[in-house]
Amino acid sequence: MSTYVYGITAVSHPSVPEGLTGVGDPPGPVRVLKQGGLAAVVSDAPEGLRPKRRELLAHQNVLSEVGGSGCVLPMRFGSVAPDDDAVTAVLAERAEHYEERLGALDGRVEYNIKANHVEEAVLHHVMAGNPEIRALAESNRRQGGGSYEDKIRLGEMVAAAVKDKEADDAAALERALEPPADAVSTGPESTGWLANVSFLVNRESAEEFLAAVERVRADMPHLEVRVNGPLPPYSFVEPGPAEPAGTAAGGTDVGTE
């Protein structure tokens, strides 16, 4: 039976809550593997595991329960090792890295921020800030819509201006939220979002960070800003060696949906 890994803690971390279960159908009991000063929170890995909502929530629930009483380095959904011995071997192999990360992330959580434009509002910004676009739009209006070429030209100009505005607003949002955070990690680009950024925040500074988010919303009403958190610090477990030996991490990021 292969071993499913939820996260890594210090061996001094309080034990997992009694009766805690994780992924699988039926859900597998969660247990702890210890090696030196580290411990891995694991369960038996079910066959045919898929990133379905129930399984993703089970993974997150284990991390939330364990993380509520101390720092845990969260593994991505789908992190599986061949067996328990492979897990403890990785703990020994990467002990220095994991211990450094546990110290750096202690008392900290992740907030993921995604933002996109409110279409009507950003078009108003683009029109108001670009005399050339306004002039062409007015010319087309006076001509009953304008020629085909002028319509195409206007559309291209507006699209380019909106793209520039996306880049400017993404940078402005990150600048506004960076001061209360200890670290920043830019996520992969995804369709529909002009910004996808994770911030590492000290639990004691969470209210300050969320207040900064509200200021962004007030100052930039043409943005739709979504906050996901507090989360385990998924985006800040690395840097370090690319992947633990003997594990295979799944491709689903349960922290930034």
Side-chain angles (χ1 to χ4, degrees):
M1 177 73 71
S2 55
T3 303
Y4 187 96
V5 185
Y6 300 90
I8 296 168
T9 71
V11 75
S12 58
H13 190 287
S15 60
V16 299
E18 185 176 353
L20 182 64
T21 58
V23 298
D25 185 16
V30 174
R31 50 197 170 82
V32 175
L33 302 176
K34 298 180 180 180
Q35 171 63 46
L38 298 170
V41 180
V42 306
S43 67
D44 290 345
E47 294 184 5
L49 183 65
R50 296 290 182 269
K52 297 179 179 179
R53 178 174 174 79
R54 176 172 62 84
E55 304 290 15
L56 296 172
L57 290 176
H59 180 97
Q60 284 189 299
N61 181 62
V62 171
L63 289 170
S64 295
E65 289 289 337
V66 176
S69 56
C71 186
V72 57
L73 302 182
M75 298 294 104
R76 303 291 185 186
F77 177 86
S79 294
V80 176
D83 52 35
D84 288 0
D85 288 343
V87 176
T88 54
V90 170
L91 294 183
E93 176 186 329
R94 306 188 76 200
E96 183 177 355
H97 168 67
Y98 287 140
E99 289 168 356
E100 184 277 330
R101 287 288 83 197
L102 283 167
L105 300 178
D106 190 28
R108 290 161 176 80
V109 292
E110 176 174 335
Y111 283 91
N112 176 257
I113 305 295
K114 289 185 172 71
N116 63 8
H117 278 144
V118 178
E119 184 174 358
E120 185 175 341
V122 77
L123 288 176
H124 174 76
H125 270 266
V126 165
M127 296 291 288
N130 193 308
E132 187 178 0
I133 290 178
R134 287 202 311 274
L136 181 56
E138 177 61 23
S139 174
N140 285 357
R141 187 189 65 79
R142 289 198 303 267
Q143 297 177 51
S147 66
Y148 174 78
E149 290 77 11
D150 283 344
K151 289 179 182 178
I152 293 296
R153 181 171 168 242
L154 178 60
E156 290 175 343
M157 290 172 65
V158 169
V162 168
K163 187 173 182 179
D164 288 343
K165 184 67 173 166
E166 287 179 347
D168 291 344
D169 285 343
L173 181 145
E174 186 170 332
R175 285 196 303 271
L177 299 182
E178 191 172 10
D182 292 342
V184 180
S185 176
T186 302
E189 294 183 5
S190 58
T191 303
W193 300 109
L194 62 87
N196 176 17
V197 188
S198 290
F199 296 86
L200 184 66
V201 178
N202 192 301
R203 290 182 186 273
E204 296 179 356
S205 303
E207 289 188 9
E208 181 184 353
F209 179 81
L210 294 174
V213 173
E214 292 307 314
R215 287 194 295 272
V216 166
R217 286 172 168 160
D219 294 343
M220 306 172 74
H222 58 288
L223 286 185
E224 175 192 352
V225 180
R226 179 183 295 184
V227 180
N228 190 14
L231 301 166
Y234 291 99
S235 302
F236 302 94
V237 174
E238 300 296 343
E243 286 293 338
T247 69
T252 301
D253 183 349
V254 298
T256 57
E257 293 302 320

